[in-house]
Amino acid sequence: MSVYDFDTILERHGSSSAKWHQIVEEMGQGNEDVVPLSVADMEFKPAPEIVEAIVEAATHDVFGYDYATDDYFAAFTGWMARRHNLAVDPDAVRLSDGVMPAINTALRAVTHPGDKVIIQRPVYYPFTFACERNGLTILDNTLRLSDEGRYEMDFDDLEAKAADPRCTAILLCNPHNPVGRVWTADELRRVGDICLEHGVTVLCDDIHADFAHPGHRTVMFSSLGERYANNAFEFTAPTKTFNLAGLLCSNAIIPNPELRRRFDVAAENIGGLTVSHFGLVACQAAYNHAEPWLDELMVVLQRNLGVIRDFAARTDGIRLIEPEGTYLAWLDCRGLGFETPEAQCEFLRGKARVFLDEGSMFGQCGDYFERVNLACPTALLERVLDRWSKALSER
Ligand SMILES: Cc1ncc(COP(=O)(O)O)c(C=O)c1O
C-alpha cells in the first residue's frame, strides 16, 4: 500500500521551476502545452517529514550563519553506513551548496590551468564547463556502446590518457548520467589502479548513488580500500535523492588530509563554500526520516521504467539503453533517421510537444540520443510518450 502521493500531476506553470521555465526561454511564450521531462529534478512534492522539519525550523529558528552540527553529521554518516555500507569520518566531510561547486573547488585544488582532465562522454555536460572554465584541457575517454546496448569503459584509452604527464585528474560519474551505468567494484578498481599508477586524482560524483535499480548496488569509490580512498574526492548529496536541489546542500568526502587541506584553501580562495540553513534542516530530516519515501519512489521508478521500456519496444527506431541506476532513461533514437540532431529536437518540441534533454548536450557521441527524466507521475510519462508515438505515426 502506498503512503505517499506519487500520482498527482502538479501544476508547475508559473512556479519558479527552472525546468518548466526553460520552455519559455527556449521556445517563447504560447507553448504552455509542452511538457518537459528534462532537467534532473522531480515532479513530486518532497516527503512530508522533510516539510515538517522545515516548517518547524521556520517557526522557531534564528537564521544567522550556520555550521553543520553533530546531529547533522550523525544523520549523514548514518545514511552512508545504512544505505552504502560506508563508514564516513565526519572530519573528512566538507559541506557546500552543491556538488558542482564542490567539484569545481576540488578541480582547483588538484590541478593547475593548462593541466588535462579525463571525462567520460556522453556525460553530464557541466563536467565540460567545469574543466573549460578552470582552464583545463579535456581528455575524453569516450564510453563505448556495445552491440548489446551496454556502455563500457575503454580501459586501454583510459590508460593512455592517464599516462599523459599533464593529466592530473579524472571526473567519474557513478551511477553515470546519462547512460545509467552503475560501475562495478572491478571497474572502479581498474580506474583506481590506473589513476594511482599515473598520479591522477579521482573526483567521483555520486549524486545519483541512491538510485541503483534492483540487481545493482552503487559501490562508493572510497570503499574500495585505503589507497583508493586516499586518492579520491567523493561527492554526494541528498538533493537528487529527495528532490531538494533548490535547498542547496551537499557533502564531499575527502579521506586524505592533504587533499582536504588543498580543498579548504581552494574554497577559501573563492570566499568559502556555504550551505543554507534550510538545506541543512531538510537534508538532516531526509536522512533521518524520509527513507520510506525513497523506498516507495523506487517502486514508482521501476513502474516508469517499464512504461518506457514498452514504448521503446513498440517504436521502430528507438532503443532504450537499459539503466542500472539514476532516474533517467537514455534512448538511442538514431534509428528514427532524422537528418540532423537539431531536426530531431525540433520535431520533438514542435510536433510532439515534448521537451527532453537532447543527447548532443552530453557530447557529440550523444547525437540522436534523448534523455528522459522518469521522476514524474506515471500518467505524465505516458502522456509524453503517447504524444511522441502519435507525432511519429503522423510523420
Ligand atoms: C551527475 C550530476 N552531478 C551534479 C549535479 C548537480 O548537482 P548540484 O545541483 O548539487 O550542483 C547533477 C544534476 O543533475 C548531476 O546529474
Side-chain angles (χ1 to χ4, degrees):
M1 204 193 63
S2 58
V3 173
Y4 302 103
D5 179 8
F6 291 106
D7 293 326
T8 303
I9 298 180
L10 305 174
E11 176 52 59
R12 304 267 273 152
H13 292 107
S15 73
S16 62
S17 162
K19 175 164 61 187
W20 287 78
H21 182 62
Q22 204 181 19
I23 293 173
V24 181
E25 267 192 337
E26 297 206 18
M27 298 179 67
Q29 297 288 350
N31 289 291
E32 286 74 19
D33 59 315
V34 176
V35 177
L37 295 185
S38 48
V39 176
D41 58 21
M42 303 185 200
E43 292 301 306
F44 299 126
K45 287 194 176 172
E49 293 82 353
I50 299 174
V51 177
E52 275 165 30
I54 292 173
V55 170
E56 173 76 15
T59 312
H60 297 294
D61 290 1
V62 174
F63 307 123
Y65 293 109
D66 270 312
Y67 77 105
T69 60
D70 288 348
D71 286 345
Y72 177 86
F73 282 118
F76 171 55
T77 57
W79 182 265
M80 295 309 285
R82 260 189 338 272
R83 304 284 296 204
H84 298 292
N85 200 21
L86 183 70
V88 177
D89 171 6
D91 289 342
V93 179
R94 293 294 179 271
L95 274 85
S96 72
D97 57 344
V99 161
M100 284 319 297
I103 286 180
N104 275 271
T105 306
L107 277 176
R108 287 171 190 221
V110 298
T111 65
H112 296 100
D115 281 0
K116 299 180 184 177
V117 174
I118 298 172
I119 63 173
Q120 298 177 310
R121 287 179 177 141
V123 74
Y124 180 58
Y125 45 92
F127 282 14
T128 295
F129 304 151
C131 295
E132 288 175 354
R133 289 172 191 168
N134 287 300
L136 303 163
T137 300
I138 289 172
L139 298 175
D140 178 17
N141 174 227
T142 314
L143 297 176
R144 282 192 316 214
L145 180 56
S146 72
D147 292 343
E148 295 74 42
R150 190 162 197 258
Y151 279 88
E152 312 272 1
M153 292 193 199
D154 180 343
F155 286 104
D156 292 339
D157 181 67
L158 179 62
E159 173 102 52
K161 292 200 157 103
D164 184 324
R166 287 308 302 266
C167 178
T168 39
I170 180 172
L171 271 175
L172 276 184
C173 193
N174 184 37
H176 190 97
N177 170 9
V179 309
R181 275 300 315 278
V182 177
W183 303 116
T184 63
D186 280 351
E187 286 169 316
L188 292 174
R189 208 172 288 114
R190 269 182 91 175
V191 173
D193 287 336
I194 291 171
C195 290
L196 279 169
E197 187 183 339
H198 297 289
V200 173
T201 308
V202 176
L203 278 60
C204 192
D205 179 342
D206 302 328
I207 198 166
H208 295 276
D210 293 310
F211 298 105
H213 296 315
H216 300 277
R217 189 177 73 81
T218 309
V219 176
M220 294 285 131
F221 192 86
S222 43
S223 75
L224 294 174
E226 203 178 329
R227 56 196 211 99
Y228 300 99
N230 274 330
N231 189 38
F233 294 78
E234 189 130 35
F235 303 96
T236 77
T239 47
K240 285 271 171 276
T241 311
F242 297 102
N243 202 25
L244 305 172
L247 290 179
L248 307 178
C249 183
S250 92
N251 305 290
I253 305 167
I254 317 171
N256 180 330
E258 172 55 17
L259 290 183
R260 223 152 53 220
R261 188 194 63 76
R262 284 158 70 179
F263 183 88
D264 289 341
V265 171
E268 278 161 26
N269 288 343
I270 54 165
L273 290 169
T274 48
V275 57
S276 81
H277 185 74
F278 287 107
L280 286 169
V281 167
C283 292
Q284 184 174 321
Y287 288 133
N288 283 339
H289 306 300
E291 214 160 340
W293 182 91
L294 175 62
D295 290 340
E296 220 171 277
L297 169 67
M298 292 307 286
V299 176
V300 176
L301 291 181
Q302 281 308 303
R303 186 169 73 212
N304 288 356
L305 198 47
V307 168
I308 203 159
R309 198 179 284 128
D310 290 348
F311 163 79
R314 66 171 183 267
T315 309
D316 281 345
I318 297 185
R319 171 164 76 154
L320 171 70
I321 304 300
E322 192 62 44
E324 299 171 347
T326 78
Y327 56 71
L328 308 163
W330 184 238
L331 294 176
D332 179 353
C333 303
R334 287 175 296 178
L336 290 177
F338 282 94
E339 231 160 69
T340 60
E342 293 75 24
Q344 183 172 300
C345 174
E346 177 52 37
F347 171 84
L348 265 167
R349 294 181 189 178
K351 291 277 189 300
R353 312 301 283 162
V354 170
F355 196 107
L356 303 177
D357 270 349
E358 34 184 326
S360 317
M361 292 162 72
F362 303 88
Q364 220 183 358
C365 49
D367 283 357
Y368 301 102
F369 286 69
E370 300 289 341
R371 195 191 74 171
V372 183
N373 182 339
L374 301 176
C376 64
T378 305
L380 188 64
L381 177 65
E382 285 170 340
R383 185 189 300 171
V384 162
L385 299 178
D386 285 349
R387 285 180 180 191
W388 195 352
S389 291
K390 187 162 177 293
L392 285 171
S393 69
E394 290 167 357
R395 192 170 152 214

